Amino acid sequence: METTVTGEPRVLATDAALVLIDEIRRDNPDILFHQSGGCCDGSSPMCYPSNEFRVGETDVKVGEIAGVPFYISASQFEAWKHTQLIIDVVSGRGGMFSLDNGREKRFLTRSRLFGGETCAIGMPSAPDVPVV
């Protein structure tokens, strides 16, 4: 399930996210994203080498960013199915097991209701961000 009934993509990336993905792929060419459910690393988008993360039977592929598959658990998808995920980058440490860790910048998921405004998950409303 990669687009909505209106044809809008379910996941997008900002220019900053695309740059960080490129940087990570120089060291790890085959990667994937999984939206964390909030255990150890909050609700961050986690980036893993494809051969080191097993996608679960109930995980939902919501799309691709820069050719990298992006998954979310079925229960999270059910809660967020009315939103578009916008993967961005902010300063800080990445998730403990995520490939953005140690780069002094990390991925952040922003979301917007289809046809609505953008906000960062777990953060106050933020202005719309340029996405590709």
Side-chain angles (χ1 to χ4, degrees), residues 20-34 41 44-53 68 92-107:
L20 183 53
I21 290 168
D22 250 3
E23 180 182 316
I24 289 170
R25 288 177 100 178
R26 281 185 232 130
D27 298 325
N28 299 276
D30 193 17
I31 60 175
L32 64 80
F33 280 95
H34 192 278
D41 291 307
S44 298
M46 305 292 282
C47 183
Y48 301 105
S50 294
N51 64 348
E52 293 183 20
F53 184 86
V68 177
R93 296 226 170 211
M96 182 183 301
F97 303 110
S98 185
L99 292 172
D100 56 349
N101 190 16
R103 298 173 190 266
E104 301 309 319
K105 49 193 163 192
R106 65 182 182 87
F107 292 109

Side-chain angles (χ1 to χ4, degrees), residues 16 20 88-93 104-108 110 123:
L20 183 53
D88 200 0
V89 172
V90 294
S91 296
R93 296 226 170 211
E104 301 309 319
K105 49 193 163 192
R106 65 182 182 87
F107 292 109
L108 173 80
R110 299 184 190 278
M123 297 178 69

